[in-house]
Amino acid sequence: MKPTFSSTTRIYSRLGALNDAAQILRSLNVSRVMVVADSGLDRLGMLEAILDQAGVRDLVVGKALIDVNPAPDHAESAAANARAFRAQAVIAVGGGSGLSAAKAVALLMTNDVSIANLAGYDKAEHPPAPTVAVPTTAGSGSEVSNALVLHELGQIREIVIRGDGYEPVAAILDATVLRGLPRAPLVFAALDALTHALESLWSRGRSLFTDACALRAASEIIGALPLAVSGQANGANVRGENDEVLQRLLEAASLANIACGNSGLALVHALSSSPTVDLPHGLQNGILLPQIAQFNREVLSVEGREIVARLPELYDLIGFDSRLDLGSAAVESMIEASRGHVFRQNNARESTDVELRELLRLASESSARAS
Ligand SMILES: [Fe+2]
């Protein structure tokens, strides 16, 4: 039976927490560890710096680098390597897609099946290899989530795998790894996190517990994001002078996922689930958010409405123009992907395709983008 609220990942959250990674891994009684990371981090030299700071070199037996939007066969070949190295645990380093891939690898290390067999809820026979997650963006919150998403080319739907115990055993939230984030991934990831918090507020699965997390997470993101964006522009982030702001953003992103992981996601994520729409996940959500928030206004609490009313000012402050000409093909594929989707059903206000087409038309009014 699904509990009303559960959050089992141990969170180690402070500036410099990455220095404790080796100790955290040893407390899990493991000595052979596979690193699964975003390939982009490796190209920028950031992965090596993170592993050095983590002090885990003597534990690492193998390394798998995963592209953005991980495909199932990437995860399967990485898991085959991990088994060949007799790895006992995973260090997952990256943004949402890197962490997703690492969680898939952890599941395949203990379940010798094709990843497609694990799609759905609680399909794995064995729990995943223990995973320590190090998020390098403040966004997905995948480090505390029991869900993972993979993309198969040509499919209408993503592959979603969820289950009790599929979440990382530990998450290390250390904003010093966020210092060098360029503007676009910083903004898109934060808008994804904000969407997680707000979707929780208008979901059917919400509770007092998820509302508490969602309201606080949304308010922290709205407060911290403009400061993080200006710190990126004036160099304060990269000089380490804005670490507290970035730490706030990172913690709020995890908290937002704790909210939506328990309440379930809703209409924005149902629409942004089409693999054929080639826009970053956070950008898509940021474009859809104002219109869907307006649509859901009638099901929100007073506090929820107050948070949503702050969106225009936030978008102004961070220079994010939410209007983008999506084009009719993208609009139709978004609606098609949302049809019968569990996230659309979990939205507290029911929607028709006609209503969605109109909301997407409003979100699509073409204009120059500032972001
Ligand atoms: Fe998301």
Side-chain angles (χ1 to χ4, degrees):
M1 198 171 101
K2 189 177 175 296
T4 307
F5 189 90
S6 164
S7 181
T8 59
T9 302
R10 283 181 246 157
I11 296 173
Y12 298 85
S13 186
R14 65 179 171 81
L15 293 167
L18 193 52
N19 296 317
D20 301 336
Q23 209 184 333
I24 293 166
L25 279 163
R26 291 205 171 87
S27 75
L28 301 173
N29 283 325
V30 295
S31 55
R32 300 176 67 80
V33 176
M34 183 81 178
V35 175
V36 184
D38 271 339
S39 53
L41 288 175
D42 193 52
R43 279 196 298 277
L44 296 170
M46 281 175 66
L47 180 60
E48 293 311 304
I50 288 171
L51 294 176
D52 281 341
Q53 197 191 331
V56 294
R57 295 283 185 193
D58 57 324
L59 302 175
V60 172
V61 292
K63 199 159 81 174
L65 302 174
I66 306 276
D67 291 332
V68 174
N69 292 336
D73 55 340
H74 286 184
E76 283 168 2
S77 63
N81 281 340
R83 280 197 298 269
F85 292 134
R86 291 181 291 112
Q88 302 157 306
V90 171
I91 301 182
V93 187
S97 56
L99 297 185
S100 246
K103 284 153 70 179
V105 172
L107 268 169
L108 293 170
M109 281 164 67
T110 51
N111 294 275
D112 195 2
V113 294
S114 147
I115 194 82
N117 295 344
L118 301 179
Y121 193 81
D122 256 350
K123 293 288 166 58
E125 195 177 338
H126 306 290
T131 301
V132 175
V134 181
T136 57
T137 59
S140 75
S142 186
E143 64 277 4
V144 294
S145 141
N146 68 1
L148 65 100
V149 180
L150 301 170
H151 296 87
E152 190 143 42
L153 267 182
Q155 296 297 311
I156 291 178
R157 290 274 167 82
E158 307 159 321
I159 297 179
V160 181
I161 297 171
R162 294 191 64 178
D164 267 350
Y166 294 8
E167 61 280 349
V169 293
I172 300 178
L173 308 184
D174 181 349
T176 59
V177 304
L178 267 53
R179 287 175 179 169
L181 266 183
R183 176 191 167 80
L186 174 71
V187 169
F188 297 165
L191 290 177
D192 184 31
L194 181 58
T195 308
H196 293 162
L198 296 183
E199 293 247 272
S200 181
L201 294 176
W202 57 62
S203 68
R204 290 188 194 282
R206 58 182 277 222
S207 66
L208 180 67
F209 309 100
T210 60
D211 273 5
C213 298
L215 287 167
R216 183 61 190 265
S219 143
E220 290 292 333
I221 293 164
I222 291 171
L225 183 55
L227 301 171
V229 168
S230 54
Q232 192 280 329
N234 66 25
N237 290 4
V238 86
R239 290 193 298 270
E241 294 162 4
N242 216 16
D243 282 352
E244 276 82 13
V245 166
L246 297 176
Q247 186 71 23
R248 223 171 116 200
L249 206 53
L250 187 57
E251 292 180 0
S254 292
L255 188 61
N257 193 297
I258 289 170
C260 75
N262 281 283
S263 65
L265 287 162
L267 201 45
V268 176
H269 277 77
L271 290 166
S272 68
S273 70
S274 168
T276 58
V277 177
D278 193 18
L279 290 172
H281 177 68
L283 170 60
Q284 258 188 89
N285 289 343
I287 291 166
L288 299 173
L289 192 58
Q291 295 304 331
I292 306 293
Q294 204 50 41
F295 177 75
N296 280 313
R297 198 173 179 279
E298 65 184 53
V299 299
L300 284 171
S301 64
V302 174
E303 299 99 312
R305 287 181 190 184
E306 282 170 6
I307 288 281
V308 160
R310 295 170 66 189
L311 281 180
E313 189 194 359
L314 172 72
Y315 279 29
D316 242 22
L317 285 171
I318 62 173
F320 182 82
D321 186 341
S322 66
R323 292 166 299 172
L324 176 70
D325 191 357
L326 293 163
S328 60
V331 165
E332 288 311 313
S333 88
M334 289 167 105
I335 293 173
E336 188 185 353
S338 77
R339 232 170 256 143
H341 199 296
V342 62
F343 294 163
R344 183 164 167 188
Q345 289 158 0
N346 192 42
N347 199 90
R349 181 175 170 189
E350 268 184 46
S351 56
T352 64
D353 285 1
V354 173
E355 285 169 327
L356 294 188
R357 206 164 278 119
E358 174 60 10
L359 289 171
L360 292 171
R361 188 190 66 75
L362 290 170
S364 282
E365 284 175 352
S366 62
S367 79
R369 296 193 54 76
S371 214

